[in-house]
Structure formats: structure tokens, C-alpha cells
Amino acid sequence: MKIFPHKHIDWGLFLGTIPLLVAGLVTMRELGSENNYFFTRQLVWIAIAFILFFSSSFVDWRFLKKGELLLVLFVFSMLILGTLLVLGKVVRGATSWINLYFFSIEPADPIKILLVAILAKYFSRRHVAIAHFKHIFVSALYALVPFILVFLQPDFGSAIIIFLIWLGMIIVSGVSKRHLALLALSAVFIFSMAWLFALKPYQKGRITSFLNPIHDIRGAGYNAFQSTIAIGSGEIFGKGIGYGSQSRLQFLPEHQTDFIFAAFAEEWGFVGVLLVFIFFAVIVWRILKNALFAPQNFESFFGLGIALFIISHFSVNVGMNIGLLPITGINLPFLSYGGTHLVTLYLALGMFMGMHRYGSQALREDPTVELLGQ
């Protein structure tokens, strides 16, 4: 009996996520308490995510490259985001959730993966002519529509992730340095306009408070200040599981979601944080390796997009936890509590495994299948 029977699955990638899941569960579990709402529900979401990962890995997702299915899904998703602005469930000041009675769904996360698939399809067909600025402009439109709709919720964090995914895929597609400079100037202009006319006072407060959180400790800078205290107090080896005073005594808000990195660092210290960084590096490395050796451009770009999705979430979350970035409400992949994010993440990884399986099979059957870069 084979230990790893399904060869098309990258077991190094899958197993690399397990320690991160365990770290998140241990951090959010309330020791000595019968009320473990987040811990119990996260176990359920993990089980669902695993089922979706393995089942989706057996699907031939190459059909996404054909026809207009992705465009139909994109239009339908934009209608959902538009409806969400009117009928969505308000959570922490943002209409980002659809309430389905037993649980809620945050559409922004699956839409990020849909954007990855759309951009992968677009760039895989035009990678040779990507130097033409019109392709950058068209791809920007695909990202701009969800960016605006998510920004208006307002979900500033998810809007940033959408922008970073698009920017990252533009860069790896081979954009010229001149065009990249033009994009940077455009971004500065857009941010300036947003600051003057679009951002609400509390959003401006989040951006300015990270520059000097001590100035408003009881207001906009409270979360950032408590987060840095938690991380710093962990020192080298941490305070021990269950002994994180900032999170366990509720000084650090949202320690199961937005600030789970700070809660984990307080209890596990620098050594634990280093291990988390290593496992994230392994996961990203395995994704990039599979993307690099994918048989076709679509699979390569899709894998790169998934890596960008994880890197963006990781960088923004850790950055806001250590006080280098404003508080945006972004999950830390695999660690933070959140069913929609976790299920979306494993579904995307399962889709990538399915693409790898059937793409490699097609290459073996037909050696003339398009190779990366041809």
C-alpha cells in the first residue's frame, strides 16, 4: 500500500500547510474553557477545505481556457459585489458578507481567485505581445472593477490584495520597465485622488496611525500598539501556549483573525515565528516550482497568481501586525479563523493540482503540447 497514492498531488505542498493549520488552532483555542467557538468551527472548515482540495484535484480544469465561461463568472461575481453593497451583512463597518443563516460568506476571497484565472487566461494568450500597453490597460480593467466594488464596501484590505495580484501578474508577464514606471505614477495619482475624495475618516486614521500609533493609543492606533506589545513580549521562546496575556486577556482584539500572528508570536516567540516563515516559504516554493514546470502557460500563470495571493495576504497581515502597514483586516493564510478564506485557498490549490495532473498527462500523450515560453 502506497503512503501517497495520488502522484499528481504535491504532498510537500499539502503537508507544508498542516503545521500552519495546527498553529492557528492552538492559538485560537481557549484553554480551560468550554467556549471554543472559533476552534470548533475552524475544525469544520478545515475538513470542508480538505474535501474540496482533493476532489478538485481530480477535475480537468483546462475547460476554463475555452469559451467565455470565465467572463460569465466574472460578470456574475460583479453583480454579487454590487448587490452586496445594498443588501450585505455589515461586519466591523463593512458590507463584505452574505448571510446564509448558518454561516456567512465573504465573496471577495473567491473573486480574487477568479481574477487570477481570468488574468492567467489573458496573459497566456498574449504573453508574446505583452509589450503593447493596450494589453496592460485591458488587464487593468479586469482588476479595476472588483477593486472599486470591494473598495466601496469598504474593504480596503481586499482591495489592496486585488491590486497586488494584478500588479504581480503584470510584472511576471514581462511588462517593460517604461510601462512599469507609468503604472507606478498612475498608482500615486489614484491614491492621491482616493485620499482627497474617496477615503473615509476612519480609513485615513488607519493609514496615519501606523506612522505614529502612540499618538492615538486609545483610538486609531490602539490595535497596532497592542499588537506590537504582544509580539515584542514574546521575545525568543515566547510565553508558552495559553500564557499570552495580550490575547488571552482581550487586550489584543480579533486575535483569532486579523491579529493571530501577534497572538502566536507572543506565545511562541521568535523561534515560533521563524518556523511559520519557513513553512510559508516551503508552500510558496512548491507552488512556484510547479508553476515553472507546468506544461502550458495558463497553468503557469495560474500557479503564479496563487503564489501572489498567498504572498500578498501574508505580507499585508504580518506588516500590519508589526506596525509597518496600516490595519486592513486581512487574514493570515492557514492560521487565521475564516471559513471562506480557508476553503477558497484550498480550492485554488486543488485546482492547481488538477491542472498539473491533466496538463502533464496531455503532454505525455501529445509531445507537441505548448510548453512554457514557446
Side-chain angles (χ1 to χ4, degrees):
M1 179 179 179
K2 297 181 179 179
I3 298 178
F4 301 130
H6 305 302
K7 294 182 179 180
H8 67 281
I9 293 177
D10 187 334
W11 290 102
L13 169 61
F14 176 75
L15 294 177
T17 67
I18 304 300
L20 298 178
L21 293 174
V22 173
L25 288 170
V26 171
T27 304
M28 69 181 67
R29 188 171 188 269
E30 299 292 339
L31 300 179
S33 173
E34 296 181 358
N35 182 19
N36 273 292
Y37 174 85
F38 294 101
F39 176 84
T40 305
R41 288 178 67 91
Q42 187 75 344
L43 286 175
V44 175
W45 286 120
I46 290 174
I48 295 174
F50 282 1
I51 292 173
L52 283 177
F53 172 81
F54 288 107
S55 59
S56 61
S57 70
F58 287 95
V59 177
D60 186 357
W61 295 97
R62 291 179 297 172
F63 70 86
L64 293 176
K65 298 186 293 183
K66 303 175 183 178
E68 305 301 328
L69 177 60
L70 283 177
L71 181 59
V72 172
L73 291 175
F74 180 78
V75 173
F76 179 71
S77 300
M78 296 308 101
L79 291 175
I80 292 178
L81 285 180
T83 305
L84 193 63
L85 293 175
V86 180
L87 304 176
K89 177 182 178 181
V90 179
V91 178
R92 289 178 289 178
T95 54
S96 306
W97 298 83
I98 297 176
N99 192 356
L100 298 179
Y101 190 70
F102 289 107
F103 58 92
S104 299
I105 296 177
E106 187 177 16
D109 274 321
I111 286 174
K112 294 169 191 172
I113 302 303
L114 176 61
L115 177 64
V116 167
I118 290 175
L119 293 178
K121 178 180 178 180
Y122 187 86
F123 291 138
S124 65
R125 291 184 174 183
R126 297 169 178 85
H127 65 282
V128 176
I130 194 62
H132 297 292
F133 187 78
K134 65 178 182 180
H135 297 309
I136 300 176
F137 178 76
V138 173
S139 67
L141 290 179
Y142 284 121
L144 183 62
V145 177
F147 176 90
I148 293 176
L149 292 175
V150 169
F151 186 85
L152 291 176
Q153 291 179 358
D155 186 353
F156 190 52
S158 290
I160 290 176
I161 299 300
I162 289 173
F163 171 76
L164 291 177
I165 289 173
W166 171 77
L167 179 62
M169 294 191 72
I170 276 287
I171 293 174
V172 299
S173 68
V175 64
S176 68
K177 294 181 179 179
R178 181 167 56 89
H179 290 159
L180 186 61
L182 181 60
L183 288 174
L185 292 175
S186 300
V188 172
F189 174 77
I190 292 173
F191 178 79
S192 300
M193 293 299 99
W195 181 271
L196 293 174
F197 304 109
L199 290 178
K200 296 184 178 181
Y202 83 92
Q203 291 174 319
K204 292 182 179 180
R206 286 182 174 182
I207 296 175
T208 55
S209 65
F210 91 96
L211 296 174
N212 186 17
I214 300 179
H215 179 70
D216 189 17
I217 294 178
R218 296 185 178 182
Y222 177 82
N223 292 353
F225 184 69
Q226 295 297 331
S227 178
T228 54
I229 290 178
I231 294 174
S233 63
E235 298 183 342
I236 302 298
F237 298 104
K239 296 181 177 179
I241 300 176
Y243 291 96
S245 57
Q246 295 300 114
S247 57
R248 305 296 178 174
L249 299 179
Q250 305 300 318
F251 291 107
L252 180 65
E254 306 294 342
H255 69 273
Q256 300 93 351
T257 53
D258 301 348
F259 294 99
I260 197 167
F261 177 81
F264 175 84
E266 184 181 20
E267 297 186 356
W268 291 79
F270 175 78
V271 174
V273 169
L274 182 61
L275 291 174
V276 166
F277 274 64
I278 290 174
F279 282 114
F280 267 108
V282 169
I283 292 169
V284 172
W285 167 62
R286 297 304 303 177
I287 295 174
L288 293 178
K289 182 179 179 181
N290 282 284
L292 180 63
F293 293 101
Q296 296 185 351
N297 291 316
F298 175 74
E299 288 86 343
S300 293
F301 278 115
F302 186 83
L304 289 170
I306 299 304
L308 287 168
F309 174 83
I310 295 176
I311 293 172
S312 299
H313 268 269
F314 176 82
S315 301
V316 173
N317 182 276
V318 173
M320 74 178 190
N321 271 256
I322 62 179
L324 294 180
L325 293 175
I327 307 301
T328 56
I330 284 295
N331 288 24
L332 182 61
F334 306 108
L335 274 82
S336 292
Y337 170 80
T340 306
H341 180 77
L342 192 65
V343 167
T344 299
L345 187 53
Y346 274 97
L347 175 61
L349 293 176
M351 291 173 62
F352 188 44
M353 294 296 98
M355 293 177 187
H356 178 74
R357 176 190 187 188
Y358 288 98
S360 300
Q361 179 179 326
L363 180 61
R364 290 193 298 269
E365 295 174 354
D366 183 4
T368 63
V369 171
E370 176 193 13
L371 295 177
L372 176 63
Q374 292 185 347

